[in-house]
C-alpha cells in the first residue's frame, strides 16, 4: 500500500505554550492529536508518528566537503517550520488527503501530504 | 480512395471515441501515459489504413482493439527487464466496464482524475483537453498562448503526480461528488470562457475552445443526466455561444448585447439551451435542489434570448436572478453584474452608486471600469466617463473589447 508523509507545519513564532494560544488549547490539541493517532493505529494506517522540538533546536550539518561544517539552526530560514509528522499507509491520495484533513484539525496545523518513493518509481528512475 | 469522406469519418470518430478509448485503456492499464499514447497510435493507424481499407463497421471497437494491442506492445517494450511486473500490469483490469449505469462510465472516472483538486488548475485544464478532448499538446499550447515545451512539461508533471501520489482513477464517493463536480464544471467553464472572450492574444474568439467546452459539457450531461448544475452549465454555454456570430463586428469590434443583431443568433442552440433551463425550472418546482450558479446564469441568459429586442428585456427578472446569485456567491464580480442590471431597472445613478462600492476590490478589472464609464456617460458626466474608458482600455486584454471601448470613448462629446 502507498505510504505518505504527513508533515505538520506551524509558525516559527511560539508562545510559552508552543504554537498554541493557551495551555488549555495546547492540552486539547495534544488530546485530539493523540486520539487521531490512535484512530490511525486502529484502522491500519499507522506506520510512525512523532512531534519535533522547535526548529531553533536544530543543527545543520554539511559533510560533503573535506571537513564537515556544523551550523546552529535549521537548514531553511522560513516563517513556518516542521513541527511533527505522521507516516501513514493509505490506499490512494484521496484516503491520504481525508486523513490529513482530520490530522490538521486535530493538531491545529497545516499538513503537507507527500508520497514516499515506491519500488516502481525507483525502477522508473533507473530506466534508461 | 482518400476522399473527404474518410477524413471526415476519422474526424468524427476522433470526436466521438477518443475519450472513450483513452478512458477504457486507463482502466485496463492503470496508466494514463500508456492509455494516451496507445490511443494516439491507434488513430495514426486509422489515418493510414482506413483510406486504403475503408472505414470499419464498428470504428470505436476497431480503435479500442488496436489501441489495446499498442498499449500491450508498449508495456512489453518498456518492461523487458521485469517480466513479472509487466505481466501484473497487463492483467491490471481486463473486465469490461460494469453495466451499472452512467456513473460507472470510464470517461467519468477520467474526468474526475484529470480534474483532481490536488492538481493545479492549469494542469487540470490541460489534462482534460488532452485526455478527454483529444487535443494535441501543440493545440492546447496555442489555445493558452504558452510555449509547446511549457505545455508538454505541465502535462508530464501532472501525469507524474497522478502516478506518484496515487491519485485514484475513480468516480468520487457519493458525499464528495458534488464538491468535486464543482471543480470539474469550473474547468469546463474556464475552457469555454477562454474561447468566448480570450483574455490575451489577437483572436477575440476561439471557437475551437468554445466548441470543445460544449462537447465536454454534453459529455458530462450524458454521464450525469440528473445533476442540475451540469445541465445548467451546458445550457449557459449553449445560450452564450448562440450569440457568437453577432458578438464581433466585421471590423473586429465587440458588439454588446443591446446592439447585437438578434437575427444572427443561433436559434438551434437557443432552443436546446432553453429546453435545459425549462427542465431545471420544472425539477426545482417539483421540489428538487435549489438552482446553483450555472443554472441561475443560464436562466439570466434565457431571459436575454427571450427578448425580441434589447428594449424588451425583462430586467427585473434579471435583477432578481442576480440577487439569488449574490446569495450563493457574494463575490464582487457577481455584485458588479447585478449592479449593471439594477441600473436598467432603477436608473444609472442607482447602479453607479452600487458599482462605486466595489471600487477597492475591482480596481484592476477592466469590466468594472467599462461598466462605470457607460453609466457615467448616461449620467452626462463626460470627463469622468472618459477617464473610466481609458482605465478600461488599458486593462482589457481582448482586441475586440479594446476596439469597442475605444470607439465608445471617442464618441463622448467634448
Amino acid at each position: 500500500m502507498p505510504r505518505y508523509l504527513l508533515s505538520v507545519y506551524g509558525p516559527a513564532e511560539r508562545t510559552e505554550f508552543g504554537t498554541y494560544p493557551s495551555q488549555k488549547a495546547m492540552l486539547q490539541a495534544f488530546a485530539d492529536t493523540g486520539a487521531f493517532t490512535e484512530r490511525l493505529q486502529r484502522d491500519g494506517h499507522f506506520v510512525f508518528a512523532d512531534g519535533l522540538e522547535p526548529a531553533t533546536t536544530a543543527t545543520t550539518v554539511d559533510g560533503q566537503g573535506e571537513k564537515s561544517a556544523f551550523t546552529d539552526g535549521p537548514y531553511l530560514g522560513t516563517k513556518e517550520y516542521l513541527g511533527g509528522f505522521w507516516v501513514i499507509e493509505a490506499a490512494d491520495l484521496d484516503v491520504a488527503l481525508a486523513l490529513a484533513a482530520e490530522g490538521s484539525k486535530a493538531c491545529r496545523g497545516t499538513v503537507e501530504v507527500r508520497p514516499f518513493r515506491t519500488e516502481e518509481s525507483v525502477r522508473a528512475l533507473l530506466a534508461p | 480512395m482518400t476522399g473527404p469522406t474518410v477524413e471526415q469519418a476519422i474526424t468524427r470518430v476522433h470526436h466521438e471515441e477518443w475519450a472513450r478509448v483513452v478512458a477504457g485503456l486507463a482502466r485496463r492499464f492503470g496508466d494514463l501515459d500508456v492509455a494516451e499514447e496507445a490511443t494516439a497510435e491507434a488513430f495514426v493507424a486509422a489515418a493510414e489504413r482506413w483510406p486504403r481499407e475503408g472505414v470499419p463497421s464498428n470504428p470505436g471497437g476497431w480503435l479500442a482493439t488496436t489501441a489495446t494491442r499498442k498499449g500491450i506492445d508498449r508495456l512489453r517494450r518498456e518492461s523487458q527487464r521485469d517480466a513479472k511486473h509487466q505481466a501484473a500490469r497487463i492483467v491490471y483490469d481486463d473486465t469490461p466496464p460494469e453495466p451499472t449505469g452512467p456513473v460507472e462510465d470510464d470517461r467519468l472516472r477520467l474526468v474526475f482524475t484529470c480534474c483532481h483538486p490536488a492538481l493545479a488548475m492549469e494542469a487540470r485544464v490541460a489534462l482534460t483537453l488532452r485526455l478527454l478532448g483529444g487535443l494535441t499538446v501543440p493545440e492546447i499550447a496555442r489555445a493558452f498562448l504558452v510555449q509547446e515545451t511549457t505545455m508538454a512539461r505541465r502535462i508530464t508533471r501532472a501525469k507524474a503526480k497522478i502516478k506518484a501520489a496515487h491519485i485514484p482513477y475513480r468516480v468520487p464517493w457519493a458525499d464528495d461528488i458534488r464538491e468535486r463536480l464543482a471543480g470539474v464544471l469550473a474547468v469546463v467553464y474556464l475552457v469555454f470562457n477562454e474561447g468566448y472572450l480570450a483574455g490575451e492574444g489577437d483572436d477575440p474568439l476561439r471557437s475551437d475552445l468554445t466548441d470543445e467546452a460544449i462537447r465536454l459539457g454534453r459529455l458530462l450531461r450524458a454521464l450525469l443526466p440528473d445533476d442540475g448544475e451540469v445541465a445548467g452549465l451546458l445550457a449557459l454555454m449553449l445560450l452564450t455561444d448562440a450569440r457568437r456570430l453577432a458578438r464581433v463586428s466585421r471590423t473586429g469590434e465587440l458588439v454588446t448585447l443591446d446592439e447585437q443583431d438578434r437575427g444572427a443568433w443561433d436559434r438551434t442552440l437557443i432552443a436546446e439551451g432553453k429546453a435545459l433551463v425549462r427542465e431545471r425550472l420544472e425539477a426545482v418546482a417539483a421540489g428538487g435542489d435549489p438552482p446553483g450558479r450555472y443554472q441561475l446564469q443560464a436562466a439570466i441568459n434565457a431571459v436575454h434570448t427571450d427578448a425580441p429586442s434589447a428594449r424588451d428585456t425583462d430586467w427585473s427578472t434579471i435583477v432578481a436572478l442576480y440577487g439569488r446569485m449574490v446569495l450563493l456567491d457574494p463575490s464582487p464580480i457577481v455584485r458588479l453584474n447585478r449592479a449593471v442590471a439594477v441600473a436598467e431597472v432603477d436608473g444609472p445613478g442607482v447602479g453607479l452608486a452600487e458599482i462605486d462600492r466595489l471600487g477597492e476590490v475591482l480596481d484592476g478589472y477592466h469590466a468594472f471600469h467599462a461598466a462605470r464609464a457607460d453609466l457615467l456617460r448616461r449620467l452626462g458626466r463626460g470627463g469622468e466617463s472618459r477617464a473610466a474608458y481609458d482605465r478600461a482600455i488599458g486593462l482589457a486584454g481582448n482586441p475586440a473589447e479594446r476596439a469597442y471601448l475605444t470607439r465608445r470613448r471617442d464618441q463622448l462629446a467634448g
Side-chain angles (χ1 to χ4, degrees):
Chain A
M1 196 170 331
R3 284 190 174 189
Y4 296 90
L5 173 66
L6 312 187
S7 11
V8 181
Y9 284 87
E13 299 286 333
R14 286 163 180 247
T15 68
E16 54 184 312
F17 311 112
T19 56
Y20 307 95
S22 68
Q23 189 186 40
K24 194 167 165 253
M26 179 176 76
L27 293 176
Q28 188 59 53
F30 284 177
D32 291 351
T33 305
F36 171 67
T37 302
E38 275 167 30
R39 173 242 203 279
L40 290 177
Q41 286 165 334
R42 214 170 39 243
D43 296 345
H45 292 295
F46 182 86
V47 179
F48 184 72
D50 227 326
L52 295 171
E53 291 291 350
T56 48
T57 65
T59 311
T60 301
V61 179
D62 186 351
Q64 299 171 94
E66 234 168 79
K67 228 176 106 196
S68 299
F70 304 100
T71 324
D72 175 35
Y75 175 60
L76 293 170
T78 67
K79 290 203 170 74
E80 303 243 296
Y81 285 101
L82 183 64
F85 60 89
W86 290 276
V87 177
I88 61 159
E89 283 184 337
D92 57 47
L93 186 67
D94 281 353
V95 177
L97 293 179
L99 290 170
E102 266 182 59
S104 162
K105 185 178 257 173
C107 73
R108 282 80 162 156
T110 306
V111 176
E112 178 190 300
V113 179
R114 256 173 92 177
F116 278 89
R117 272 201 201 291
T118 58
E119 252 182 75
E120 194 190 342
S121 66
V122 172
R123 200 165 21 228
L125 209 64
L126 297 174
Chain B
M1 252 281 301
T2 54
T5 46
V6 175
E7 228 171 86
Q8 280 165 3
I10 291 177
T11 307
R12 199 185 60 240
V13 172
H14 189 267
H15 269 171
E16 287 168 2
E17 300 292 342
W18 170 275
R20 204 192 302 271
V21 176
V22 172
L25 261 64
R27 175 173 51 83
R28 177 156 185 192
F29 294 113
D31 187 313
L32 293 180
D33 270 324
V34 173
E36 182 213 313
E37 280 163 38
T39 305
E41 284 177 34
F43 274 95
V44 170
E48 279 167 10
R49 289 176 49 186
W50 293 4
R52 279 203 318 269
E53 299 167 13
V55 178
S57 57
N58 176 2
W62 188 97
L63 285 162
T65 310
T66 307
T68 304
R69 216 161 36 226
K70 303 253 180 215
I72 292 172
D73 287 350
R74 218 181 108 94
L75 284 179
R76 285 220 176 94
R77 278 198 309 275
E78 272 180 10
S79 30
Q80 292 292 354
R81 296 171 318 258
D82 190 346
K84 215 172 100 196
H85 176 61
Q86 161 217 351
R89 287 276 288 279
I90 290 173
V91 297
Y92 179 81
D93 184 355
D94 203 12
T95 54
E98 293 163 37
T100 47
V103 91
E104 290 298 331
D105 190 291
D106 287 335
R107 290 170 297 176
L108 199 54
R109 304 187 207 197
L110 193 55
V111 171
F112 281 105
T113 307
C114 291
C115 297
H116 197 279
L119 300 172
M121 196 57 169
E122 53 190 21
R124 292 187 220 172
V125 169
L127 274 183
T128 304
L129 288 174
R130 178 74 197 116
L131 294 175
L132 283 138
L135 269 64
T136 62
V137 174
E139 279 168 346
I140 303 170
R142 212 164 35 245
F144 288 92
L145 302 166
V146 299
Q147 294 280 323
E148 214 174 298
T149 47
T150 307
M151 187 53 79
R153 216 178 307 123
R154 194 177 286 172
I155 292 175
T156 307
R157 202 189 302 135
K159 283 197 287 197
K161 178 163 184 183
I162 289 174
K163 203 185 278 188
H166 305 272
I167 288 180
Y169 180 56
R170 176 181 64 214
V171 176
W173 301 298
D175 35 338
D176 289 344
I177 196 165
R178 184 172 298 251
E179 201 178 313
R180 290 275 305 279
L181 185 59
V184 172
L185 297 179
V187 166
V188 175
Y189 196 40
L190 192 77
V191 172
F192 181 82
N193 271 327
E194 188 53 33
Y196 196 67
L197 189 61
E200 305 266 327
D202 299 328
D203 298 329
L205 293 171
R206 294 164 192 270
S207 56
D208 52 338
L209 285 180
T210 50
D211 289 350
E212 188 52 41
I214 288 175
R215 224 159 59 71
L216 291 168
R218 286 192 208 280
L219 173 63
L220 284 174
R221 162 90 181 147
L223 298 172
L224 297 166
D226 299 326
D227 189 277
E229 281 294 86
V230 168
L233 175 60
L234 178 57
L236 170 62
M237 294 192 295
L238 292 168
L239 291 170
T240 311
D241 199 48
R243 301 196 294 262
R244 188 205 294 172
L245 286 178
R247 229 168 125 263
V248 177
S249 74
R250 263 192 301 269
T251 54
E253 187 184 298
L254 188 79
V255 184
T256 51
L257 199 52
D258 55 319
E259 291 181 334
Q260 283 176 16
D261 169 14
R262 292 181 181 227
W265 290 357
D266 186 325
R267 293 287 141 191
T268 316
L269 292 182
I270 289 177
E272 191 187 350
K274 279 175 68 175
L276 286 166
V277 171
R278 263 197 310 279
E279 178 193 309
R280 289 313 308 158
L281 286 173
E282 282 160 19
V284 172
D289 289 338
R293 55 183 305 166
Y294 296 117
Q295 290 169 78
L296 290 171
Q297 273 177 273
I300 289 166
N301 277 278
V303 173
H304 282 301
T305 53
D306 272 342
S309 74
R311 273 200 313 285
D312 302 316
T313 307
D314 178 1
W315 284 104
S316 3
T317 300
I318 290 178
V319 170
L321 287 166
Y322 272 125
R324 295 187 66 172
M325 259 183 81
V326 171
L327 295 179
L328 286 180
D329 171 16
S331 73
I333 292 182
V334 175
R335 282 154 62 203
L336 173 67
N337 287 324
R338 184 180 173 278
V340 169
V342 163
E344 298 298 327
V345 177
D346 298 329
V350 181
L352 184 65
E354 280 202 21
I355 287 181
D356 279 343
R357 280 199 285 276
L358 304 169
E360 215 164 292
V361 256
L362 291 183
D363 190 52
Y365 182 49
H366 73 275
F368 165 77
H369 296 285
R372 271 195 91 233
D374 184 53
L375 296 179
L376 287 164
R377 176 187 60 77
R378 280 150 70 181
L379 289 166
R381 289 155 66 176
E384 290 167 84
S385 175
R386 180 181 307 278
Y389 275 122
D390 284 337
R391 283 281 286 147
I393 293 162
L395 290 165
N398 185 284
E401 210 168 9
R402 265 200 312 270
Y404 162 77
L405 292 166
T406 306
R407 179 173 62 83
R408 295 307 296 246
R409 180 196 60 194
D410 296 346
Q411 278 172 348
L412 282 172

